[in-house]
Amino acid sequence: MNRSEAAYLRALQWYPREWRAAHEQVMLSTLLDQAEASGRVLPSIGERLNLARHGLRERLRTSRGRVPEGVRDRAATISLGTAAALAATLLFVTELGLPADAELSAGMTLFGPFASPVALGYFALLLSFVLAMIGLERTSRVTIVGACAILVGTRIAADSLGMWLRPSWTLVWFLLLLGGLALIGRIGGTPRTAGWLGITAAVALPILLSPMMFTGTSPSRDFLLGTWPVELALGWLPFVVLGIAALLNLSGHRNWTGAVLIAALPWLALALVGWRDYGEIADMFSTGAVLIAGVGAVLGVLRLFGLKLQLRRVGKAAPGEIVE
Amino acid sequence: MTIGEIREPSFLVLAALADGDKHGYALIREAEQLSGGRVRLKVGTLYAALDRLGEQGLVAVAGEEIVDGRLRRYFHLTEQGMETLHAQAERMRSTADQALNRLRGRLAPAVAR
C-alpha cells in the first residue's frame, strides 16, 4: 500500500464498518483515479470534508434505522416530558431557591431573581414542551436545539461572570442528552402523543421534587452542597427502570419497552457516573466524556441482555420521483 | 416529494448513465461534461447518490472488474430509472420553456433598446 492509498483509506474511516466492507475498495479506486487525473497524491481538504460529511451521515442513517419508528417516537416523548419536568424542578429548586436563601446567596453575583442565566435554558426547554403539547412539533424541535445552545452558552457565561450558584456541568450535559433524545422521534403532534407527553411530565415532576420533602434544611442548599445531588438520589433508578421494562415486555408492549430503556439512558448513565467524586468531574469536557461513557456502558449492558434492534427502511419513492 | 426537492447530483448521475453502463470515475467525468464543467461531483457525494438511487431501484450494479489493480464497479440505469429520468427531464424542459417564454416578452424590448 502506497502513501496515497493509505491517506485515502484513512479518510474513508468516517464511514461505518458495514459500508466500508461493501464499498471501500470501489470508492478507493475512484478516489485514486480522480487524484491521478488532478495530479494529486493526497486527499484535498475538500475531499476530506466531503468524505467526513457523507461518512457521518451514513453512520447516522444506519444507526437511526436500527430502532423502529414506534420506539423512537415513544422514547422522544418520554425524554421531552422528563426534560421539561427536570427543567421545572431546577428552575424552582436552584434558580429561584438559591437566591431566596439569604445566607447562602450573600455576596454572590446573581441574574436578577435567578441564580444564573442558565434559567433561560430551562425556560426554553419548558417552552419546547408547551409547543409540542399544542401540536407545533417542528417549532418545538427547533426550540429544543435552541434550548441546548442556551444551556451551554449561559453556563459558560455564568462561570465567566462569577455566578457560583449555577448548575453543575453534569446537570447541563444530562439535559443536553435528554434534549438530544427528544429529537430522535416525533414529539406531540397528535392528541394521543401530547397526552403521553403530559402524563410523563406529570409523573416525573413529583418524583423529582420528592427528595425535597425529606430534607431537614433548605432544599436548595442541600442541592448545592451535594447532600441531594440528583445522581446520588437516583442510584436506585437502574433497578426500577429494568423492572418497568421487564413488566412492559411481559405484557407485550414491545415499543414501550424499547422506549423506556432508550429514554432512561441518560438517567442510568447519571446514576452510574454519580458514584464518582463529584468535584473531580466538574468541568465541561470531562463531565461530558464521563456521561457519554456512562451511556456507552449502559448500551453495552443492554446488548448483553440481548436487546434486539431491527432494521427498518423508511421513505419509499413514488414512481417518477427521486427521494433525496 | 416534489420536483423542487430533486438535487442536481442525482439527476446528473442518471443522465450520465443514459447511454450505457459506467464506473465511478467515468460518472464523475460525464457529470462534469453534462453540466458544462459547472459540477464536479466529489466521490462521497457520488456514492451517496448511487446508494440512494440503488435503494429506489433506479440504478443497479452491472458488474465489477479489476483494472490495473483497482476494483471498478459498473452501474446501469434500470427500466424504472429510464422512466424516471425521462419524466424528470420532460418536467425540467417544460419548466424551462415556460420560464423562457415569460422572459422573452421582457427581454426583447431591453435588447432592442
Side-chain angles (χ1 to χ4, degrees):
Chain A
M1 186 189 300
N2 61 33
R3 188 174 158 225
S4 187
E5 284 177 22
Y8 277 108
L9 280 175
R10 272 199 303 277
L12 286 168
Q13 292 294 314
W14 290 101
Y15 285 87
R17 187 176 301 180
E18 299 81 13
W19 172 279
R20 279 186 279 130
H23 306 291
E24 188 176 68
Q25 285 306 312
V26 174
M27 283 183 82
L28 177 65
S29 299
T30 311
L31 285 162
L32 292 172
D33 283 344
Q34 197 174 37
E36 270 177 18
S38 313
R40 278 184 288 102
V41 177
L42 296 174
S44 66
I45 292 174
E47 275 181 321
R48 285 182 198 275
L49 290 175
N50 182 262
L51 291 172
R53 183 164 71 92
H54 286 287
L56 287 175
R57 183 185 280 183
E58 190 59 33
R59 278 182 191 272
L60 286 174
R61 197 171 71 112
T62 44
S63 61
R64 191 179 152 86
R66 280 188 188 135
V67 182
E69 205 173 333
V71 176
R72 285 207 309 266
D73 293 347
R74 286 166 174 80
T77 298
I78 297 172
S79 300
L80 181 58
T82 49
L86 184 60
T89 305
L90 292 171
L91 200 57
F92 177 64
V93 176
T94 60
E95 291 299 330
L96 286 168
L98 295 179
D101 188 324
E103 190 187 341
L104 193 69
S105 61
M108 291 283 186
T109 311
L110 300 172
F111 183 70
F114 304 109
S116 76
V118 183
L120 300 174
Y122 301 151
F123 276 121
L125 270 175
L126 288 170
L127 177 63
S128 66
F129 171 77
V130 173
L131 289 168
M133 286 287 285
I134 59 174
L136 298 173
E137 194 200 353
R138 187 167 288 193
T139 317
S140 171
R141 297 171 79 84
V142 173
T143 312
I144 291 171
V145 175
C148 290
I150 293 170
L151 285 170
V152 174
T154 51
R155 177 58 176 78
I156 292 170
D159 262 0
S160 63
L161 295 169
M163 295 174 172
W164 304 118
L165 299 181
R166 76 283 187 274
S168 67
W169 272 114
T170 308
L171 283 173
V172 174
W173 268 99
F174 179 63
L175 280 166
L176 296 184
L177 285 175
L178 281 179
L181 279 177
L183 297 174
I184 66 168
R186 278 182 299 234
I187 38 175
T190 65
R192 188 180 165 83
T193 51
W196 281 115
L197 197 54
I199 289 170
T200 309
V203 169
L205 192 60
I207 292 174
L208 287 167
L209 287 172
S210 61
M212 289 171 55
M213 290 187 282
F214 305 108
T215 53
T217 58
S218 162
S220 51
R221 181 183 297 195
D222 290 340
F223 189 95
L224 185 74
L225 298 180
T227 45
W228 183 65
V230 171
E231 53 270 52
L232 289 181
L234 294 175
W236 42 267
L237 193 74
F239 306 105
V240 174
V241 168
L242 290 174
I244 292 171
L247 285 175
L248 286 166
N249 202 26
L250 282 173
S251 59
H253 294 93
R254 300 300 299 270
N255 281 348
W256 279 110
T257 307
V260 165
L261 290 173
I262 290 173
L265 283 177
W267 298 92
L268 297 176
L270 194 65
L272 284 178
V273 303
W275 299 108
R276 277 199 53 176
D277 180 7
Y278 195 66
E280 287 177 17
I281 56 165
D283 72 271
M284 177 180 176
F285 295 106
S286 61
T287 304
V290 171
L291 254 187
I292 288 166
V295 171
V298 172
L299 279 171
V301 171
L302 292 178
R303 275 192 82 105
L304 287 176
F305 273 96
L307 179 72
K308 206 168 186 178
L309 301 171
Q310 65 186 71
L311 277 167
R312 181 166 175 165
R313 185 161 293 173
V314 288
K316 283 210 165 189
E321 289 182 340
I322 298 174
V323 176
E324 295 291 351
Chain B
M1 182 155 292
T2 63
I3 191 170
E5 290 170 85
I6 296 170
R7 288 180 199 159
E8 202 172 16
S10 296
F11 183 79
L12 288 171
V13 168
L14 291 178
L17 288 169
D19 61 350
D21 300 352
K22 288 180 184 66
H23 60 78
Y25 183 57
L27 282 172
I28 291 174
R29 279 183 308 174
E30 284 284 318
E32 189 175 7
Q33 201 180 337
L34 279 166
S35 65
R38 193 171 44 79
V39 177
R40 190 168 171 79
L41 290 178
K42 291 211 160 51
V43 176
T45 309
L46 170 72
Y47 282 94
L50 283 168
D51 194 46
R52 278 196 302 270
L53 295 170
E55 283 178 1
Q56 292 158 25
L58 307 182
V59 163
V61 175
E64 291 181 350
E65 66 172 348
I66 294 176
V67 179
D68 297 331
R70 289 180 189 169
L71 180 63
R72 283 189 170 160
R73 184 174 291 162
Y74 290 83
F75 298 89
H76 82 268
L77 205 55
T78 62
E79 284 292 323
Q80 196 189 339
M82 282 186 220
E83 286 168 20
T84 302
L85 176 63
H86 186 260
Q88 297 296 339
E90 283 293 345
R91 282 182 214 173
M92 287 167 80
R93 181 161 67 185
S94 164
T95 311
D97 284 348
Q98 284 188 52
L100 287 170
N101 280 338
R102 288 175 187 213
L103 269 176
R104 207 159 286 144
R106 294 184 64 182
L107 283 177
V111 172
R113 236 182 276 145

